[in-house]
Amino acid sequence: MLASIAAPCPAAYLHPKALQLTPTGDGTQQHLDAEVAIPGAIKLQEGLFELGRAPPADILIEIPTVSTRHATLRVGEASVIVTDLGSTNGTTIDGEELEATQAAELKPGSEIVFGDKYIAKFRLDVVEDAPPPAEAPAAKEAVPAAAEEKAE
């Protein structure tokens, strides 16, 4: 008799992780001409993305101190490579300003500022990825009464 052996699911599959930019600025807006919406958390997926104030940026932070084309983010499994695109107000990682076109690694726990330490300051966090939505139970196919009668 053969025994079936079920392989255990890897922990990463049960609790997948994702990278997220979590806002850490204090929200002060006195330095701006008008009040703006405070950016929320930004969930990142693997790939290359442009961050900026307006389209065609993939990741929008719609505040005037963020340049239209501010930086690129190359998101990997465990870190992000950030390149400033010559932004007006600069990009800093853990207090170190990036030179234009300079790439630097952003690791979990590190802080990044996109031009404004009050409202565009974020920490890179590793968070639980949302589980896939549960599939609804398959609906039973309705069998017309006439078909049931013919089957008998």
Side-chain angles (χ1 to χ4, degrees):
M1 176 180 256
L2 295 175
S4 67
I5 300 173
C9 291
Y13 181 76
L14 295 174
H15 303 285
K17 304 290 184 189
L19 294 176
Q20 172 179 290
L21 291 173
T22 305
T24 59
D26 66 11
T28 299
Q29 297 191 31
Q30 296 167 342
H31 60 293
L32 300 175
D33 293 334
E35 197 167 302
V36 297
I38 304 292
I42 302 168
K43 194 95 162 237
L44 301 173
Q45 48 184 287
E46 288 187 44
L48 178 63
F49 304 95
E50 186 174 301
L51 178 140
R53 181 179 65 234
D58 304 301
I59 300 170
L60 295 176
I61 300 179
E62 299 176 271
I63 60 173
T65 52
V66 171
S67 293
T68 301
R69 297 189 68 230
H70 197 97
T72 60
L73 307 179
R74 182 175 299 281
V75 182
E77 190 174 308
S79 68
V80 178
I81 303 299
V82 180
T83 304
D84 185 89
L85 296 175
S87 63
T88 303
N89 293 310
T91 302
T92 62
I93 294 178
D94 292 331
E96 297 290 322
E97 188 165 352
L98 299 182
E99 297 294 324
T101 70
Q102 174 189 358
E105 184 176 22
L106 181 66
K107 296 178 182 177
S110 292
E111 285 198 321
I112 187 163
V113 176
F114 298 106
D116 190 316
K117 66 183 178 180
Y118 303 108
I119 51 180
K121 182 178 181 181
F122 299 86
R123 181 184 58 243
L124 184 64
D125 290 327
V126 178
V127 296
E128 293 283 328
D129 202 4
E135 289 187 29
K140 276 190 169 178
E141 280 189 23
V143 179
E148 283 182 359
E149 290 171 8
K150 288 180 184 177
E152 292 177 358

